[in-house]
Amino acid sequence: MLKGIINYSHYLMKEAVQEGDTVIDATCGNGHDTVFLSRLVGTEGHVFGFDIQAEAIANTRKLLTHIGLTNTTLINDSHSNFLHHMPVDKLTRLGGAIFNLGYLPGSDKSVITRSETTILAIEGIVSHLKQNGIIVLVVYHGHEGGDKEREELMRYVRLLDQHQYHVLYYGFINQKNDPPFILAIQKRH
Ligand code: SAM
């Protein structure tokens, strides 16, 4: 059975990330990926979650507290500033990062991820990933501004050196209404 997009994004993270790793949720939103990542890395690991909207950080914090997960640091700032917020000892065990691009469901549709900051964050994160570490991007692109981010992101990932990174595209090409797809970047060495 083919996995759906969210399911497959989690599967990819599960395959690459180990217990005790540090991971990044680059777009917390309502916190569903943050919860998934927190469980994945376990009590010895740590999740750094970013969102530019205070509302998203508050929603995520509420969910984590409700479930009782404590191995997480939430940061109300752009993912492109991740280096300012992560201690060096945590960065040395960076197993992966997940991005859900687009806008916060049920909120202001004009606050969207943008290619400039998304690509800056990816560039920084790949350079710190450990061997076989992975960045998974779930690319929602049906909203206003989504086309531009998709095109610029595709141009960027196509040019990543194949000797250093595997770049995967996964999506359902017969679905209507701009279905989301996955881009995954795995560091080879
Ligand atoms: N993964 C989330 C979930 O499980 O609910 C959904 C994320 S939503 C599609 C995208 C989020 O990215 C929004 O909450 C938005 O505020 C956030 N965002 C936009 N630009 C950002 C940036 N530069 N840095 C961090 N977060 C950003």
Side-chain angles (χ1 to χ4, degrees):
M1 184 69 102
L2 295 176
K3 292 187 195 306
I5 293 296
I6 298 296
N7 215 341
Y8 195 64
S9 72
H10 289 182
Y11 165 77
L12 289 170
M13 293 299 290
K14 264 191 234 161
E15 288 293 296
V17 170
Q18 291 163 333
E19 265 193 59
D21 277 355
T22 299
V23 288
I24 296 175
D25 184 353
T27 53
C28 286
N30 290 319
H32 301 110
D33 286 334
T34 324
V35 167
F36 163 74
L37 292 174
S38 165
R39 289 177 169 145
L40 185 62
V41 297
T43 47
E44 299 296 311
H46 206 85
V47 186
F48 288 84
F50 293 86
D51 205 292
I52 51 170
Q53 295 192 77
E55 180 192 350
I57 294 293
N59 292 351
T60 302
R61 179 160 292 126
K62 204 168 147 191
L63 188 60
L64 291 167
T65 308
H66 176 71
I67 300 174
L69 297 167
T70 54
N71 57 347
T72 305
T73 303
L74 299 178
I75 300 142
N76 186 192
D77 194 3
S78 172
H79 37 233
S80 51
N81 294 329
F82 75 98
L83 270 183
H84 302 317
H85 302 282
M86 294 179 59
V88 178
D89 63 311
K90 296 285 185 209
L91 271 173
T92 54
R93 229 190 133 169
L94 187 58
I98 194 159
F99 290 70
N100 264 232
L101 304 181
Y103 60 86
L104 178 62
S107 185
D108 184 353
K109 288 191 182 172
S110 68
V111 183
I112 56 171
T113 51
R114 296 189 185 274
S115 50
E116 298 78 8
T117 35
T118 302
I119 292 171
L120 256 183
I122 296 171
E123 272 176 343
I125 292 169
V126 285
S127 73
H128 285 91
L129 275 184
K130 60 183 208 180
Q131 190 177 13
N132 297 324
I134 198 163
I135 299 180
V136 176
L137 299 124
V138 179
V139 185
Y140 291 90
H141 54 103
H143 55 282
E144 210 180 319
D147 289 8
K148 180 175 181 283
E149 184 173 39
R150 182 194 64 226
E151 288 312 304
E152 293 180 1
L153 197 54
M154 289 303 288
R155 198 172 313 135
Y156 169 75
V157 296
R158 279 198 186 102
L159 291 174
L160 286 169
D161 179 3
Q162 64 173 344
H163 299 294
Q164 290 189 61
Y165 306 104
H166 292 300
V167 181
L168 171 91
Y169 175 100
Y170 180 91
F172 294 90
I173 58 174
N174 65 337
Q175 287 180 358
K176 292 192 171 55
N177 301 326
D178 307 311
F181 62 90
I182 287 176
L183 293 173
I185 304 166
Q186 186 161 38
K187 192 167 189 169
R188 300 182 65 178
H189 45 76

